[in-house]
Amino acid sequence: MTTENRKVSRILGVTFLLQFVTSLSSGLLLQPALIVPDNIRETMIRIAENAWLMRANILLDMLTALGVTLLGAILYLTLRKQGEKIALTAFGFYILEAALLAASRSEAFSLLRMSQEYVTAGQPAYLQTMANLALESMDFVGFTLHMLVFCLGGILFYYLLYKSGIVPRALSLWGLITILPLLFSTLLTILDLQVPFILVVLGLPYVPFEFVIGVWILVKGIPETRQLYKSTEEGLTANFYTP
């Protein structure tokens, strides 16, 4: 493995791990500690009393948005020879994902300020209404729409990973198959339909995927890029001219 490929492998592996750590910490640790489902009053009190947690949540999500952009760029540069248009489309989805997540953090900051004012001003009802709208907007843009474009981009990139063979194809299939229930669940949520529990269960195996693929790339690295592209092109040429 050349020095250049070693660097690419490290960046790609670390970026996958960054995505895993920041998104998991924000979604499964910080948000549940702040958001009380179907209770905006308790949510606002929790946020006001734990402002540093809300700020940490915002910071982690901004790091996630940065990581998404970097990951999309590295995957595009690594996989574009497998399908330029597909890789570029997937990269576009990743950029849109990062933009949606970053935009939703403005609503999160507004929710923090409203929650602090809510507690200070004696819990006026009008602030509950405003905060509820901010929370719903934050969830729809920063989770639902964000998840939709993430799934679309992920499907395209994981297909190219499978096609390229730079990681074991079983690993690529893991990401490709387990991301599909997440996509279907998100579409049902957007349409305001009930998400079957089976889709939730089928989507759970995706959770450790980014961690596993990140560690694998860091430990094993990726093949020499030029050699990989040359072998792929030769194989396609041979297949094309075979009677």
Side-chain angles (χ1 to χ4, degrees), residues 33-207:
L34 294 167
I35 308 300
V36 181
D38 302 319
N39 194 329
I40 190 62
R41 178 181 176 276
E42 290 299 323
T43 295
M44 295 177 74
I45 292 174
R46 279 194 186 185
I47 291 174
E49 292 178 348
N50 301 277
W52 68 275
L53 275 181
M54 191 64 170
R55 293 178 184 276
N57 187 29
I58 294 172
L59 176 60
L60 280 175
D61 284 339
M62 294 303 295
L63 289 175
T64 301
L66 178 63
V68 166
T69 306
L70 179 59
L71 179 60
I74 299 298
L75 285 173
Y76 167 73
L77 293 173
T78 305
L79 299 171
R80 61 183 176 177
K81 293 295 184 180
Q82 305 300 321
E84 179 79 26
K85 292 181 180 179
I86 296 176
L88 187 59
T89 302
F91 185 28
F93 279 129
Y94 271 43
I95 292 175
L96 180 56
E97 176 194 350
L100 288 171
L101 183 58
S104 72
R105 295 309 88 192
S106 63
E107 292 293 344
F109 188 75
S110 296
L111 180 59
L112 170 61
R113 289 302 191 196
M114 282 187 282
S115 298
Q116 291 174 324
E117 178 65 21
Y118 178 74
V119 172
T120 303
Q123 303 183 8
Y126 76 93
L127 282 177
Q128 285 190 25
T129 303
M130 294 173 61
N132 197 49
L133 289 173
L135 181 59
E136 289 180 357
S137 176
M138 182 181 76
D139 284 345
F140 186 72
V141 175
F143 180 76
T144 306
L145 292 182
H146 159 264
M147 183 62 69
L148 175 64
V149 293
F150 158 71
C151 290
L152 294 174
I155 288 171
L156 297 178
F157 271 140
Y158 300 158
Y159 162 73
L160 293 179
L161 277 175
Y162 177 83
K163 183 180 177 182
S164 70
I166 65 174
V167 298
R169 285 191 164 88
L171 195 56
S172 302
L173 280 176
W174 176 3
L176 190 58
I177 292 172
T178 57
I179 203 172
L180 292 176
L182 300 180
L183 174 61
F184 295 144
S185 298
T186 304
L187 289 173
L188 290 175
T189 301
I190 291 174
L191 296 173
D192 198 24
L193 298 174
Q194 182 68 33
V195 177
F197 182 70
I198 185 63
L199 283 180
V200 178
V201 173
L202 292 175
L204 288 177
Y206 181 82
V207 174

